Amino acid sequence: MSLGGFTQLINPCHGEVPHGMLFLSPDEGWIGCGEGSGLWYTSDGKNFAKAHPSDDLYVFDLELDPQGRLLVCGHDYDDREGAVLLWRQDGEAWERLLFFGNNKQDPKAATLSNCGQVTVLDSGEILASSNTIGDITWSTDDGVRWHAEERYWEDANLNPNGYGAYPIMVMTSTADGLFAGGTMISKPPTFFGPSQHSRGRFFNMKAHVVDPDIIGEIWGMDTPDGGMTWVVGGRDQALTREPSGFMYRSTDAGETWTKLPMGGRLDVVRDIAFNEDGTLGVAVGHRYPPSKGYVLVSVDAGASWTPLDVDVPPLESAAVSDYTFWVGTDGFLAKGSWR
């Protein structure tokens, strides 16, 4: 399969990072920006218009719920009703789902610094996670009420005197349940899959160490087949003065992992995304030293990856729809195609 054009676009986030990128087709999608630069919509895949009225909206993740409603996860500092962590768009209307605050005083609030990731299970539960620590919150009634922030969701905490607490970098769900990636800079990268405990509930997850011989967080991950195969990426933080980006692939829902070759000066993997049928994938990150970035593409569901011969800055975000992909970072957005 040949690769088509790779074209730089005007970044609607201006000088900020497009943390949230969600595309329904090669023409239609949204980009959510950091540092209060808001939410933007495109109907042609390259030109963007403001899509939310806030003038100080930080966006870290975008998702669609099973009804096709857009969830905007971040922190809105420009809302008359308080600091909104999660917005939902239904048609032309915007609904405030989750606020920053004390859940004992307000059932629509949780003490998360920001909404870092959001996902909706097939059974309807909405879950949001902090982007600074491993706290999560959830709603079982379509966002009417929320649970107080919970840090001890890992299976070990369901055992007598058990303990497990982990930061979450990325969180998503499939028909099989809740998945996440993370850990700490001083621990091995850890993948979290649905609970395997007899008392586990929809929000509990089981920790799976990806590689005990390295340390560092999982920054990017995605599945090409709905939850059995996963590709995760990050950086081995034990190697401080050399490129040490890693990618691993599992074909048994995170039970075992195979290291994928990267090579060259490729360093931290920041984001991974597959298209709808899972055959085509893109991964982005930083080279070492971190003055340049890279784009990797896959045409075999993430079993192998090929670097593109493109000159890009250190990249943070990626999205794919059909045969088209987008990559972005501070002040930079580009679009490429496999056709």
Side-chain angles (χ1 to χ4, degrees):
M1 181 180 297
S2 61
L3 190 73
F6 184 82
T7 305
Q8 185 172 348
L9 308 175
I10 296 175
N11 182 3
C13 303
H14 306 294
E16 307 304 334
V17 176
H19 291 294
M21 298 205 297
L22 173 63
F23 286 86
L24 307 181
S25 73
D27 294 325
E28 183 185 10
W30 296 267
I31 282 182
C33 310
E35 299 299 322
S37 295
L39 178 71
W40 300 80
Y41 172 78
T42 180
S43 59
D44 63 7
K46 58 183 179 181
N47 297 296
F48 293 84
K50 191 173 181 179
H52 187 281
S54 174
D55 290 323
D56 198 9
L57 173 62
Y58 291 58
V59 180
F60 297 109
D61 191 26
L62 299 172
E63 297 292 336
L64 289 182
D65 70 8
Q67 290 75 44
R69 298 171 294 184
L70 179 67
L71 297 172
V72 181
C73 167
H75 205 136
D76 188 353
Y77 293 91
D78 188 39
D79 186 75
R80 65 184 183 275
E81 296 190 21
V84 182
L85 302 182
L86 183 62
W87 284 96
R88 180 168 66 194
Q89 185 181 34
D90 189 359
E92 297 297 320
W94 284 100
E95 180 183 2
R96 300 165 180 84
L97 283 193
L98 177 65
F99 292 87
F100 173 83
N102 187 330
N103 186 263
K104 292 181 179 179
Q105 299 173 357
D106 182 357
K108 290 186 74 68
T111 311
L112 306 183
S113 58
N114 302 297
C115 179
Q117 297 279 287
V118 64
T119 193
V120 184
L121 300 182
D122 283 4
S123 48
E125 296 88 354
I126 312 170
L127 297 106
S129 67
S130 169
N131 66 350
T132 57
I133 200 164
D135 289 346
I136 64 173
T137 182
W138 58 86
S139 172
T140 60
D141 56 9
D142 200 38
V144 176
R145 295 178 299 272
W146 291 78
H147 194 279
E149 62 279 358
E150 175 59 61
R151 190 168 302 177
Y152 305 108
W153 40 261
E154 203 276 327
D155 271 2
N157 298 285
L158 299 174
N159 298 321
N161 301 314
Y163 173 80
Y166 300 84
I168 291 174
M169 304 299 176
V170 57
M171 182 175 71
T172 188
S173 61
T174 75
D176 296 326
L178 185 63
F179 295 86
T183 197
M184 295 179 286
I185 196 172
S186 60
K187 302 286 186 180
T190 304
F191 174 85
F192 307 102
S195 175
Q196 298 180 7
H197 199 282
S198 61
R199 294 193 291 116
R201 296 181 61 198
F202 66 88
F203 60 86
N204 292 115
M205 289 183 280
K206 170 68 175 177
H208 304 268
V209 172
V210 172
D211 186 341
D213 296 326
I214 66 174
I215 65 171
E217 310 94 334
I218 290 173
W219 283 99
M221 74 178 205
D222 200 10
T223 174
D225 59 8
M228 184 56 67
T229 301
W230 291 89
V231 178
V232 302
R235 183 185 197 274
D236 184 352
Q237 299 287 1
L239 304 176
T240 58
R241 297 186 178 181
E242 59 185 276
S244 62
F246 64 73
M247 296 181 75
Y248 289 81
R249 188 171 187 257
S250 172
T251 57
D252 54 12
E255 295 289 339
T256 61
W257 295 87
T258 299
K259 189 172 185 179
L260 300 174
M262 291 187 65
R265 308 299 294 176
L266 306 187
D267 201 29
V268 58
V269 178
R270 294 297 305 222
D271 203 4
I272 299 169
F274 289 99
N275 70 346
E276 293 83 350
D277 70 12
T279 55
L280 304 178
V282 61
V284 298
H286 305 181
R287 294 181 181 269
Y288 187 91
S291 60
K292 297 288 185 179
Y294 61 83
V295 179
L296 303 177
V297 293
S298 175
V299 297
D300 55 11
S304 62
W305 297 83
T306 302
L308 295 187
D309 184 16
V310 291
D311 184 14
V312 294
L315 295 172
E316 300 291 328
S317 305
V320 187
S321 182
D322 197 10
Y323 286 82
T324 303
F325 64 88
W326 296 259
V327 298
T329 189
D330 304 68
F332 180 87
L333 180 68
K335 179 179 181 180
S337 174
W338 281 273
R339 285 181 170 176

